[in-house]
Amino acid sequence: MPTTTLGPHAVKDWLATPEGEHWELIHGNLLRTEETGGNSRLAWKIGVELEKHLDTHPSGIVGRNIAFHFSGILDAEREGVVPDLCYIPNDQLDKWDNYANVQEGVIPALAVEILSPSTAQIDLVDKVEIYRMAGVREYWIFDWREETIRIYRFSEDAEKPVALQTFEETLRTPLLPEFSLEMPKIRQALHLGKEERKQSP
């Protein structure tokens, strides 16, 4: 379960949280989450595939657990997010600060969240609003328990996912036209844990 410190809090409070801990500021409330093994493995696998693509198509970088403060959004002083993964295109990298704990002025083109039961409301509702206001173009929400992917493209629909895919399908994006994420292979790699071993004869 996440640890929540109810607000009102502001960005200055978020910046004062201990380094190495995963804190976010959502509507003025500080929230600390811990990553499960399944979430970590899925995020890592997706990140590896994105990195492979960008090695041969160098249009930007992949970030994992990067903190962002979007100063241009409504109530910006009450919001600070840390997507599980993101793709930051080259045209944003002139604002990137290697020494900063929080990136200011950098807008990822793609944000990726791995759904947890304890943070479902935040990922499915609050972050949709935050990412849309910030100018993030695409938002993927992976649910490895249900084996689904909600895909938001805010220029096509500002409120609802434009697609709901399964782990049986290949995921593609207009942001990276030659990229494909073969979810059957990802699913096979994930099904190596304790639960699956218990079911083996």
Side-chain angles (χ1 to χ4, degrees):
M1 293 292 291
T3 299
T4 305
T5 305
L6 297 177
H9 291 289
V11 168
K12 63 180 176 59
D13 305 308
W14 180 47
L15 296 176
T17 56
E19 287 189 40
E21 294 184 2
H22 192 292
W23 285 93
E24 295 187 280
L25 179 66
I26 306 295
H27 301 340
N29 297 314
L30 283 169
L31 177 76
R32 186 180 69 182
T33 57
E34 301 293 336
E35 194 171 53
T36 66
N39 283 29
S40 179
R41 279 184 57 79
L42 179 54
W44 179 77
K45 289 292 291 181
I46 298 166
V48 166
E49 295 303 314
L50 284 166
E51 290 277 13
K52 284 181 187 175
H53 175 79
L54 292 172
D55 281 346
T56 55
H57 302 80
S59 62
I61 64 170
V62 176
R64 178 135 159 69
N65 292 326
I66 304 295
F68 293 92
H69 174 232
F70 303 125
S71 59
I73 69 173
L74 187 67
D75 289 335
E77 286 304 302
R78 300 174 67 241
E79 314 291 357
V81 294
V82 186
D84 292 319
L85 280 169
C86 63
Y87 159 63
I88 303 168
N90 286 337
D91 63 8
Q92 292 291 311
L93 294 182
D94 60 333
K95 306 163 195 167
W96 177 269
D97 185 348
N98 274 331
Y99 298 98
N101 293 329
V102 175
Q103 295 301 317
E104 297 266 3
V106 178
I107 310 295
L110 169 68
V112 179
E113 300 287 358
I114 315 298
L115 198 65
S116 296
S118 61
T119 61
Q121 165 73 19
I122 293 166
D123 292 338
L124 294 171
V125 179
D126 300 321
K127 285 189 175 179
V128 172
E129 176 187 2
I130 293 168
Y131 291 141
R132 181 183 66 241
M133 288 192 300
V136 172
R137 285 183 271 167
E138 198 158 329
Y139 177 29
W140 299 346
I141 307 173
F142 286 81
D143 185 341
W144 59 265
R145 296 164 184 84
E146 298 293 331
E147 297 194 347
T148 61
I149 311 148
R150 291 172 176 84
I151 301 168
Y152 287 84
R153 294 188 186 111
F154 296 118
S155 64
E156 296 178 32
D157 193 314
E159 303 294 336
K160 300 188 298 295
V162 298
L164 179 65
Q165 293 192 210
T166 73
F167 281 25
E168 293 283 354
E169 300 175 84
T170 297
L171 176 57
R172 293 182 172 85
T173 170
L175 294 174
L176 302 165
E178 297 182 56
F179 172 74
S180 61
L181 187 63
E182 296 183 36
M183 289 309 299
K185 290 183 179 179
I186 300 289
R187 182 175 64 179
Q188 183 178 17
L190 289 173
H191 283 184
L192 299 174
K194 186 188 301 183
E195 183 178 328
E196 285 70 35
R197 289 199 299 271
K198 280 182 178 178
Q199 294 173 0
S200 300

